[in-house]
């Protein structure tokens, strides 16, 4: 059985191979364990590296740096360096990053519903 949504937005074989398929591009941009959470936290406003590190308590400094650089290369975030000592660096969303906020909000809503369903299913199984 085919999915009408997938059929409607199906990427041509040639586009999948040359990276022009929209879903391939989104997958590339978001692949990385911490990218979605980085974007989520930055959707509330600019944050310093140390603030992001605190919010992502399990991420290593190297991994956070790598993920931030990747998001910056993809033009979803910007990095602002202040000429002070000690160095101050802030990260924020670019316009492209801000355009991603509704998707993040949808993902958050999906997560809430998924949690509720999981809890309800667990309760039903226990009864």
């Amino acid at each position: 059985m085919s999915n009408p949504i997938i059929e409607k937005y199906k990427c041509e074989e040639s586009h999948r191979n040359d990276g022009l398929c929209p879903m391939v591009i989104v997958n590339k941009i978001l692949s990385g364990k911490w990218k979605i959470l980085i974007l989520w936290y930055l959707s509330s406003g600019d944050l310093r590296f140390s603030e992001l590190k605190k919010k992502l308590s399990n991420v290593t400094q190297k991994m956070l740096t790598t993920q931030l650089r990747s998001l910056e290369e993809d033009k979803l975030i910007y990095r602002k360096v202040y000429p002070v000592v000690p160095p101050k660096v802030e990260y924020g969303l670019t316009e492209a990053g801000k355009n991603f906020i509704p998707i993040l909000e949808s993902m958050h809503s999906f997560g809430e519903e998924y949690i509720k369903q999981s809890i309800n299913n667990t309760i039903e199984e226990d009864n």
Side-chain angles (χ1 to χ4, degrees):
M1 176 187 272
S2 67
N3 182 326
I5 293 172
I6 291 173
E7 289 300 314
K8 179 178 179 184
Y9 297 106
K10 185 169 68 174
C11 295
E12 298 298 323
E13 185 72 33
S14 61
H15 291 305
R16 275 184 268 149
N17 294 333
D18 62 18
L20 294 177
C21 174
M23 290 305 288
V24 170
I25 291 169
V26 171
N27 185 63
K28 178 204 165 290
I29 290 170
L30 295 181
S31 64
K33 185 174 181 178
W34 303 101
K35 288 182 177 181
I36 291 172
L37 289 174
I38 291 168
L39 293 170
W40 178 249
Y41 290 129
L42 290 176
S43 71
S44 298
D46 296 355
L47 293 171
R48 294 178 70 170
F49 184 91
S50 59
E51 293 170 319
L52 280 167
K53 179 82 173 79
K54 283 180 193 170
K55 291 180 181 292
L56 304 166
S57 58
N58 294 328
V59 70
T60 64
Q61 184 164 334
K62 181 180 178 188
M63 179 56 71
L64 180 55
T65 299
T66 300
Q67 299 283 276
L68 288 167
R69 284 182 183 156
S70 180
L71 287 166
E72 191 177 4
E73 286 174 17
D74 289 330
K75 310 278 190 274
L76 292 179
I77 67 168
Y78 65 85
R79 178 179 185 261
K80 183 173 182 179
V81 180
Y82 293 89
V84 294
V85 177
K88 177 182 175 185
V89 179
E90 283 184 347
Y91 294 90
L93 296 179
T94 62
E95 283 305 309
K98 289 176 184 173
N99 289 337
F100 199 74
I101 292 174
I103 297 167
L104 293 169
E105 290 170 339
S106 292
M107 293 170 77
H108 185 272
S109 295
F110 173 84
E112 284 182 324
E113 283 302 311
Y114 188 85
I115 290 168
K116 287 178 191 172
Q117 287 298 320
S118 295
I119 291 169
N120 288 339
N121 289 342
T122 302
I123 291 170
E124 289 172 6
E125 289 171 4
D126 291 343
N127 289 331

